[in-house]
Amino acid sequence: MNDALLQALETRRSVKADRLQEPAPSGAELDRILAIAARVPDHKKLVPWRFIVFEGEARAKAGELFAAACQAEEKEPSHVRLETERARFLRAPLVVAVVSRVAKRPGAPEWEQILSAGAATFNLCLAANAMGYGTSWLTEWVAYSPTVREGLALAENERIVGFVYIGTPMEKPEDRDRPKLADIVSRWAP
Ligand SMILES: Cc1cc2nc3c(=O)[nH]c(=O)nc-3n(C[C@H](O)[C@H](O)[C@H](O)COP(=O)(O)O)c2cc1C
C-alpha cells in the first residue's frame, strides 16, 4: 500500500494562481512532469492532447495577446482591465496550456479523446504537486477567445483544456467542502 500517495490524494488542493511564487519546475523536472502528464489512458493511442509551456518572458508576451484579444472582443475595455490581461500569466512563474486535439477515428469517440485530455491535465497537476509545487487548473475567458486561439495557433480540431499555473505555494490553502459519498454513490441493485 502506498500510503504517502493516498495521503497526498486525500489532502490535495489547488493553490490560487496569484499565491504561486518562484521557484517553478524547469528543465529536467518540468520534462518529468510533462512525461507523467502524457502517461494517461488514451483509447486507440491517438495522443489527443499536447502541451504549450509559457515560462519567463513568454508569459508577458501571452499577456500582450490577451490584451489585444480583450480590445478586439470587448467594448472599450478600461486601462485597468488591459493591465490585468497583460499580467494574467505573470500571476505564477510557470503556465502550461493543455490542448485537446481530436481526430476522427472509428471506435474512439470525440468525448473519449477529450476525457483523455482532462486526465492528462490532472496528471500534470498531480506530478507537479508530488514534487512540492502548487497548481491551479484554470480556463477563464482566454481559453475560449477566438483571438487567443488564433494567437496560440490552435488548429480547428484543437481546444484549450486548461491553463495550469504552477509554482511554489505562498501558504497552504484551507480545505474546502467535498461531496458526501451518500450523495454521489449508489449501488446498483436491480
Ligand atoms: C476544466 C476546468 C476549468 C476550470 N477553470 C476555472 C476557472 O477558470 N476559474 C476558477 O476559479 N476555477 C476553475 N477551475 C477550478 C479549479 O481548477 C479548482 O479545481 C477549484 O478551485 C477547486 O479547488 P480544488 O482543486 O482544490 O478542489 C476549473 C476546473 C476545471 C476542471
Side-chain angles (χ1 to χ4, degrees):
M1 169 117 65
N2 188 340
D3 211 45
L5 176 59
L6 289 171
Q7 273 188 34
L9 293 170
E10 279 168 343
T11 56
R12 181 205 64 82
R13 271 242 57 195
S14 296
V15 178
K16 284 191 186 337
D18 60 5
R19 305 309 294 163
L20 294 168
Q21 62 186 358
E22 297 278 1
S26 62
E29 220 176 19
L30 178 56
D31 281 352
R32 192 175 182 194
I33 290 170
L34 295 170
I36 291 169
R39 198 181 178 92
V40 286
D42 170 6
H43 196 174
K44 301 277 182 198
K45 303 184 187 72
L46 296 176
V47 193
W49 22 259
R50 64 184 178 95
F51 309 109
I52 307 172
V53 175
F54 299 83
E55 42 192 2
E57 270 301 295
R59 293 169 305 141
K61 295 227 171 80
E64 290 303 326
L65 171 61
F66 301 152
C70 187
Q71 249 161 345
E73 295 170 19
E74 301 208 5
K75 267 197 215 144
E76 296 176 25
S78 68
H79 176 74
V80 173
R81 172 69 195 277
L82 292 175
E83 284 309 302
T84 302
E85 296 310 332
R86 286 194 180 91
R88 185 169 290 282
F89 272 11
L90 297 173
R91 287 178 291 177
L94 173 68
V95 181
V96 178
V98 181
V99 177
S100 143
R101 47 178 191 187
V102 293
K104 289 241 178 312
R105 182 70 179 268
E110 177 174 316
W111 161 241
E112 297 186 5
Q113 297 179 41
I114 295 168
L115 290 174
S116 179
T121 310
F122 196 50
N123 246 27
L124 194 159
C125 292
L126 291 178
N129 299 158
M131 289 182 188
Y133 298 108
T135 53
S136 211
W137 173 352
L138 305 180
T139 41
E140 301 175 319
W141 74 275
V142 285
Y144 302 102
S145 152
T147 314
V148 172
R149 278 186 63 87
E150 196 184 329
L152 297 181
L154 296 199
E156 284 271 301
N157 65 332
E158 293 187 321
R159 267 188 285 190
I160 296 289
V161 179
F163 295 109
V164 180
Y165 292 71
I166 307 173
T168 300
M170 293 183 199
E171 65 269 316
K172 194 173 171 298
E174 282 181 16
D175 210 355
R176 71 171 178 89
D177 286 346
R178 301 291 166 177
K180 290 188 184 54
L181 284 190
D183 293 336
I184 55 169
V185 179
S186 61
R187 283 186 169 71
W188 197 58

